[in-house]
Every structure is written in structure tokens, then in C-alpha cells.
Amino acid sequence: MSTNISKYTIERMKDSCLKITPQRVAVLEYLLHTDSHPTADEIYKAMENRFPSISLTTVYNNLNSLCENGLVQELSFGQTSSRFDSDTTNHYHIICSNCGKMVDFHYPELKEIEAFAEQTTDFEVSHHRLDIYGKCEICCKES
Amino acid sequence: MSTNISKYTIERMKDSCLKITPQRVAVLEYLLHTDSHPTADEIYKAMENRFPSISLTTVYNNLNSLCENGLVQELSFGQTSSRFDSDTTNHYHIICSNCGKMVDFHYPELKEIEAFAEQTTDFEVSHHRLDIYGKCEICCKES
DNA sequence: CTAAATGCAAAAAGTTTGCAAACGT
DNA sequence: ACGTTTGCAAACTTTTTGCATTTAG
């Protein structure tokens, strides 16, 4: 996590034919500098300070274009807001059922279960998603 | 999948202090007789025939009360509708990215990854959710 | 210069809420 | 009788769309 957006990231945007707008850079920069898996609205609110004119629509537009081009990952849930993650390498998440905190953890990819599913269901498997739920350290202490 | 709602299911409703209304019975009966993992709206539409007066609100009310009492499981996704499943035993799902079809598959529970997550994150793990994505047989043939 | 991006207001989709009337126990 | 459930209309939340204006390349 460097303080300035990397040249590599700018290159990846250019490679995807995405224009380098200040708003787009700010959204991606924010995601690169946090591990909190923020929602679109949280990103928007974080931006208001330094970027008073940005709109929530623009945040969504940019999250969508970044996701479509694989620079960002969307983690969607039920009725509640999606969360966004600039770490697009293979990893899983653990989520606190109490406060919603979301933490990364790395684990070897579950290829066996994908193979099993493919054999038993006649689907052509592309990927999977695993989320673990529990109670985070802070919420454990509070109860 | 029997044709009539089982006495056992009525008992489970009673045990949960849920009143046995025709609408509630119809919703649960429908879920027990299908493996299609329908949305609230699909259940509602399926009901309109035999049950012209039922409302979508009532379908939601009942799905919620049945979920709260563990008779039904909600599978929520992003912006799109939740799906509901009366099979509350441990099993996983595979979902067609093209047509949305959802199929059950059974696999030994992933206890190791839960234990690993607990060790590496300081969470107290309660459960997990795994969904596999791919293309179903029909959608594969069409492309 | 041109196509893409911005930002506003409005719409869309899914779900929940408030509430009066009806119903189950 | 009592508290629960029903079903209607309206609210709510998150995300998308339409569109005129602005901006990046």
C-alpha cells in the first residue's frame, strides 16, 4: 500500500481503455489504501472531504468500470450494500455477523470441491465463492 | 417430497409458536415440493392460481417467520432476489451464471477451512457459505 | 474533435413497515 | 378474547438509467 497510485495501476486502466479521470483515480486509490472492504456509500463519504463535487453515481460508475476490467472485485450480499475490494488475487473472507467487519484470509483454492461439483451436476464450473461467518474479537469481548 | 404437508412440519410450526394459517402452509408446502430454489415472487406467482387472494407481503412475512425458526433457509445474492430452500440440512449449491439455475450438491462440510480461518483471524466461527458458479448443461449446449 | 465520464434527478427492483380488518387458538 | 396474521398502500434502500454538460486523449 503505497501513498500514491502506482504507475502499474494507471497502466492497467489505460490497457482497459479507461480514461484517467481524477474521480476514477480517487476511487481506486481509496480502495488500494484500505483493507476495510468499503461499500459504495462509504467510498463516496470518504471522498467528500477532498473531492466535494463527486457524486454517488460517479462512484458507482467507476466501481462498475473497474470491476468489469478486473481491477476491483465486488462482494455482494443480500439486501445490504455490496462491498468492494481492490485485492483481486484469490482469497476468502470472514465476516462478523454482529458488526459486519470483513477480514481477508488466504487459503489454497478449493479445487477438489469444484471438480466434485462438476462431476455430480453436469455444470461446467468457472469459479466459486466462500464466505465464513462468525464473531470478531471485539464483538466476542463485548458479549 | 410427499404430496401433503407432513404432520412433522405442522409440529415444527407449532413448536415455533407459528399459527397454522392456510397461506403459511401453502408457502411451506410449495417449498417442500420443489427443488427450484424459488424467489419470493416466484412463490407468490405460483400461489396465485389456487390462492388468488394471497399477497406478496404475506409471502415475505411467512418466509421470514419460517427462516427465523429454521424451517426454511434464505439464500441471498446481490441486487437480485433472494432464493428460498426448505432443505435446511448442510449442503452446497451450484449456480448457472447464464440462466440462474441453482442445483444442490452434497459434500462433506469444510471444517478444516473454518478451523484455519478461526486460527488466523481471531474470529469465533459459526458457519460458512460456499456457492460454485458455472454454466449448466443446457446453457453449455446452446453456446 | 470525439467518445467517455460526470453529476443531477428520476426510476427501478427488492424488501420492509404501518395499519386496520380478519383469523387462529 | 387475545395476540398473530393478512393484505393493502406507502416507505425504504441500493443501484441503475436518462440526459445535458464537461472533460480526457
Side-chain angles (χ1 to χ4, degrees):
Chain A
M1 291 201 225
S2 62
T3 305
N4 295 302
I5 196 161
S6 71
K7 282 182 185 170
Y8 173 68
T9 311
I10 295 283
E11 279 317 309
R12 287 195 62 196
M13 284 198 205
K14 285 185 183 167
D15 289 348
S16 306
C17 300
L18 294 177
K19 290 187 176 175
I20 315 301
T21 67
Q23 293 90 336
R24 179 125 69 208
V25 171
V27 168
L28 184 51
E29 208 164 23
Y30 183 73
L31 279 174
L32 288 167
H33 294 173
T34 185
D35 59 358
S36 69
H37 308 85
T39 64
D41 199 59
E42 285 165 356
I43 298 169
Y44 170 63
K45 288 195 164 54
M47 227 118 273
E48 280 181 325
N49 246 357
R50 299 192 172 186
F51 225 114
S53 72
I54 201 171
S55 73
L56 182 57
T57 300
T58 296
V59 173
Y60 273 110
N61 285 343
N62 283 317
L63 289 170
N64 288 338
S65 59
L66 293 169
C67 284
E68 277 162 23
N69 290 285
L71 283 89
V72 164
Q73 191 186 3
E74 177 175 3
L75 297 156
S76 54
F77 296 90
Q79 56 284 64
T80 47
S81 307
S82 288
R83 293 168 162 277
F84 295 88
D85 191 346
S86 62
D87 181 353
T88 57
T89 61
N90 277 327
H91 66 284
Y92 298 113
H93 296 100
I94 183 161
I95 299 146
C96 179
S97 303
N98 192 241
C99 71
K101 187 162 84 179
M102 196 167 169
V103 175
D104 291 333
F105 74 93
H106 289 260
Y107 189 86
E109 231 197 334
L110 299 165
K111 283 298 181 192
E112 284 156 42
I113 196 166
E114 281 198 359
F116 176 84
E118 196 156 66
Q119 282 163 34
T120 54
T121 63
D122 293 319
F123 275 60
E124 204 175 82
V125 169
S126 61
H127 64 286
H128 66 269
R129 173 168 170 192
L130 169 75
D131 294 320
I132 300 200
Y133 291 87
K135 216 188 222 182
C136 75
E137 211 178 354
I138 296 166
C139 289
C140 280
K141 280 178 188 160
E142 280 173 3
S143 65
Chain B
M1 293 201 222
S2 63
T3 305
N4 295 302
I5 197 162
S6 71
K7 280 182 186 169
Y8 173 69
T9 310
I10 294 281
E11 280 316 308
R12 288 196 62 195
M13 285 198 203
K14 284 185 183 166
D15 289 349
S16 306
C17 300
L18 295 177
K19 290 188 175 173
I20 314 301
T21 67
Q23 293 90 335
R24 180 123 69 208
V25 171
V27 168
L28 183 52
E29 207 164 25
Y30 183 73
L31 279 173
L32 288 167
H33 293 174
T34 184
D35 59 358
S36 70
H37 308 86
T39 64
D41 199 60
E42 284 164 356
I43 297 169
Y44 170 62
K45 287 194 164 55
M47 226 117 275
E48 279 181 326
N49 247 356
R50 299 194 173 185
F51 225 115
S53 73
I54 202 171
S55 73
L56 183 56
T57 301
T58 295
V59 173
Y60 273 111
N61 285 343
N62 283 316
L63 289 170
N64 287 338
S65 59
L66 292 169
C67 284
E68 277 162 23
N69 291 285
L71 283 89
V72 163
Q73 190 186 5
E74 176 174 3
L75 298 155
S76 54
F77 297 89
Q79 56 285 63
T80 47
S81 307
S82 289
R83 292 168 163 276
F84 295 88
D85 191 346
S86 62
D87 181 355
T88 58
T89 62
N90 277 327
H91 67 284
Y92 298 113
H93 296 101
I94 183 161
I95 299 147
C96 179
S97 304
N98 191 241
C99 71
K101 187 163 84 181
M102 195 167 173
V103 175
D104 291 334
F105 74 93
H106 290 261
Y107 190 85
E109 231 196 333
L110 299 165
K111 283 297 181 193
E112 285 157 40
I113 196 166
E114 281 198 359
F116 176 84
E118 197 158 65
Q119 282 163 35
T120 55
T121 62
D122 292 319
F123 275 58
E124 204 176 81
V125 168
S126 61
H127 64 285
H128 66 269
R129 173 170 170 190
L130 169 75
D131 293 321
I132 301 200
Y133 291 87
K135 214 189 227 182
C136 75
E137 210 180 355
I138 296 167
C139 289
C140 280
K141 279 179 188 160
E142 280 174 3
S143 63

